[in-house]
Amino acid sequence: MAENGFCMEIRPKPCVLLIFGAAGDLAQRKLFPALFHLHRRKLLPPETRIGACLREEMTSKAFRSRLGRGLIQSESVSGGSAVSDEAGMADFLARIECFCGDFSRSEFYLSMKKRLEAWKRDSNAVIQNRIHYFAVSSDMYSILSEKLYEHGMTVEEADSFSCAVFEKPFGLDLESFEKLDRSLHLYWKESQIYRIDHYLGKDTVQNLLMFRFANTLFEPLWNRNWIESVGIRAEETLGVENRVKYWEKTGLLRDMFQNHMLQMLSLVCMECPSVFNADGIRDEEVKLIRSIRKPAAEDLTGNFFRGQYLAGNVQGRNVCAYRSEPGVPSDSMRETFVSARLFIDNWRWAGVPFYLRAGKRLGEKKTEIVIRMKSVPHSIFFPVQPEDLAPNLIVLSIQPEEGVRLSIQTKKPGPRLCIGTQDLVFHYAQILPDGERLPDAYERLLLDCMLQDAALFIRSDCIREAWALMTPVLEAWNAADSRKDFSAVPLLSYAAGSAGPREELQCFRDSPL
Ligand code: BG6
């Protein structure tokens, strides 16, 4: 036992990480910086090597020097110390080599396999342990998997692993998910598939499990008898940036709700897993998502809101309306905001409303979970009535201020009887060593792939349940859009930089958010 707490040991096996789409935004902004941090924290075994798979021709030297510049820039923006760690940077970049070519042609795989054999000879690379990271559009998932399969790269030899990491969106509705899932299972076993939901890699999201199941204090109260309502928000100031093409295909329900929001909800509400391992956690998650009441078309009014931002001012900057973003059709019905009241039909949660809210171009960046406890049943502090006493709140702040807040009623100092709300607050910043930051979600998730620990990745049945829940909503919206009858499911407007659509705020006045 460590002095204060217990830490599990981490010893990833050496492997080869092949990143398809290595020149893309995700790889450059998230994956390589995360790998660099793992390297600096000495969590990458020396034999681990990285293959940057690109469609465009580029020498490894040119790729490394461009990546190095990008890493230095992102570190100096985030205040890190990599800028001065030149040796560390050079060692990291030396792990990387480019494989360029057309991913749909066999020549690409044949020449990559030759290079991998050379890695094994020249630098003891452990090429039988392979992670294939698909940082490409989901249209490419099947063809890439098929090619890897044809070239024997999906095979797992004894004591080795070969796995595939897929980014969301995993399908666009239940039907397309089923199709994609079936095709991937032709080439990979379920145990080889790692579907990323980067929210699960956030320390503060994982802390939900510790908070609930490493303490005795909260769990006895964690049910319909003591909890009045729960709110989960993921609000952003960003718009759709340079992702208009993606956004026009997806929209917020698919981008945030079907995955990140439901994952947070399931961690807040699921039963305690019998074991802390991938299937233990994922069995409970899927059970929970399956118990969320499926909204019938007639229940959408007043329970599901969709919105789209107009022009406005976000934190001092004037921004345009979604429909005026370059590339967006002037009559686009794509939602940039969704808010929903959900119910969970099981003994623990019957009757408790769950308010989920996510949107782009809102006034503040904030992701948090708010648990509002019931009011006291009776007040002995006459003339104060029970409803005059603010209910206790437990606020789990996911970002940007990571921590936990418990608000309680206390006596205000002085001779008079005055009661007021005080907060007991814990900030992660208080327990981080000077200059350190919480690791990025991708650091944790990439490390888990190397450890072959799938606990924080989404299993196929869980995604299926999430689509089964959200697809009827999408269908009702699509039907309204094609009939041009928005009376039941209007697309509400909100000014960029505001708190969201007025109608939603009014209807969900009881939300703890
Ligand atoms: C991504 C979505 O999954 O999550 C983005 O595609 C969104 O639209 C992002 O901006 C939010 O992530 P975070 O970690 O900044 O809350």
Side-chain angles (χ1 to χ4, degrees), residues 124 126 129 158 179 254 270 294 304 363 447 467 474 506:
N124 291 332
V126 184
N129 289 338
K179 193 165 156 224
R254 293 181 173 106
M270 71 187 194
K294 299 207 172 32
F304 261 86
L447 187 60
W467 279 126
L474 290 166
Q506 250 163 24

Side-chain angles (χ1 to χ4, degrees), residues 168 198-199 202 236 238 243 246-247 255-256 260 360 365 367 399:
K168 71 168 217 324
H198 81 278
Y199 264 55
K202 291 181 190 282
E236 298 181 75
L238 285 182
R243 300 160 80 210
Y246 161 81
W247 201 263
D255 184 61
M256 295 288 292
H260 307 327
K360 298 275 182 198
K365 164 98 178 156
T367 307
Q399 59 190 22

Side-chain angles (χ1 to χ4, degrees), residues 139-383:
D139 314 343
M140 298 285 299
Y141 290 174
S142 293
I143 177 76
L144 267 172
S145 299
E146 188 187 339
K147 285 288 169 204
L148 289 166
Y149 177 82
E150 264 174 37
H151 291 89
M153 296 183 74
T154 60
V155 177
E156 290 186 301
E157 293 156 27
D159 294 329
S160 66
F161 62 82
S162 168
C163 67
V165 187
F166 296 103
E167 279 286 334
K168 71 168 217 324
F170 219 77
L172 290 174
D173 55 17
L174 186 56
E175 197 186 332
S176 54
F177 159 74
E178 299 275 17
K179 193 165 156 224
L180 176 61
D181 205 47
R182 266 197 308 274
S183 85
L184 295 185
H185 280 118
L186 295 174
Y187 313 115
W188 306 98
K189 289 181 282 185
E190 176 64 24
S191 59
Q192 293 177 285
I193 301 180
Y194 285 65
R195 299 177 194 83
I196 284 221
D197 181 317
H198 81 278
Y199 264 55
L200 294 182
K202 291 181 190 282
D203 262 0
T204 41
V205 172
Q206 290 156 40
N207 182 46
L208 284 166
L209 289 174
M210 315 301 151
F211 186 80
R212 291 190 56 199
F213 304 128
N215 296 294
T216 49
L217 197 55
F218 307 106
E219 201 48 25
L221 309 178
W222 215 256
N223 57 54
R224 64 191 298 270
N225 299 324
W226 296 99
I227 291 180
E228 178 71 32
S229 56
V230 176
I232 303 180
R233 72 162 106 231
E235 298 174 2
E236 298 181 75
T237 49
L238 285 182
V240 293
E241 308 304 296
N242 51 2
R243 300 160 80 210
V244 163
K245 217 164 122 206
Y246 161 81
W247 201 263
E248 274 294 298
K249 236 170 61 185
T250 52
L252 198 122
L253 194 82
R254 293 181 173 106
D255 184 61
M256 295 288 292
F257 250 68
Q258 185 272 346
N259 33 68
H260 307 327
M261 300 299 278
L262 288 184
Q263 287 302 319
M264 286 195 279
L265 179 67
S266 69
L267 292 178
V268 171
C269 299
M270 71 187 194
E271 297 302 316
C272 183
S274 54
V275 277
F276 185 67
N277 67 16
D279 276 335
I281 295 173
R282 299 187 311 175
D283 285 348
E284 293 305 335
E285 274 176 357
V286 79
K287 212 164 87 192
L288 190 280
I289 295 182
R290 198 175 289 139
S291 354
I292 302 173
R293 192 180 305 160
K294 299 207 172 32
E298 60 275 17
D299 297 334
L300 292 185
T301 314
N303 282 311
F304 261 86
F305 292 91
R306 56 175 176 162
Q308 193 185 72
Y309 60 82
L310 301 174
N313 185 289
V314 181
Q315 297 180 331
R317 194 164 67 92
N318 287 332
V319 296
C320 69
Y322 175 68
R323 286 182 183 176
S324 308
E325 301 275 8
V328 176
S330 58
D331 57 353
S332 169
M333 294 299 288
R334 266 300 156 242
E335 78 285 359
T336 57
F337 172 94
V338 176
S339 172
R341 176 166 45 200
L342 298 175
F343 290 91
I344 297 175
D345 289 331
N346 65 17
W347 272 52
R348 190 192 275 262
W349 296 114
V352 178
F354 290 84
Y355 296 90
L356 273 60
R357 188 173 204 269
K360 298 275 182 198
R361 286 274 191 251
L362 292 167
E364 225 190 323
K365 164 98 178 156
K366 191 182 251 189
T367 307
E368 65 177 11
I369 297 163
V370 182
I371 319 277
R372 182 191 279 158
M373 307 307 287
K374 295 214 162 173
S375 298
V376 294
H378 164 75
S379 165
I380 60 168
F381 307 109
F382 183 81

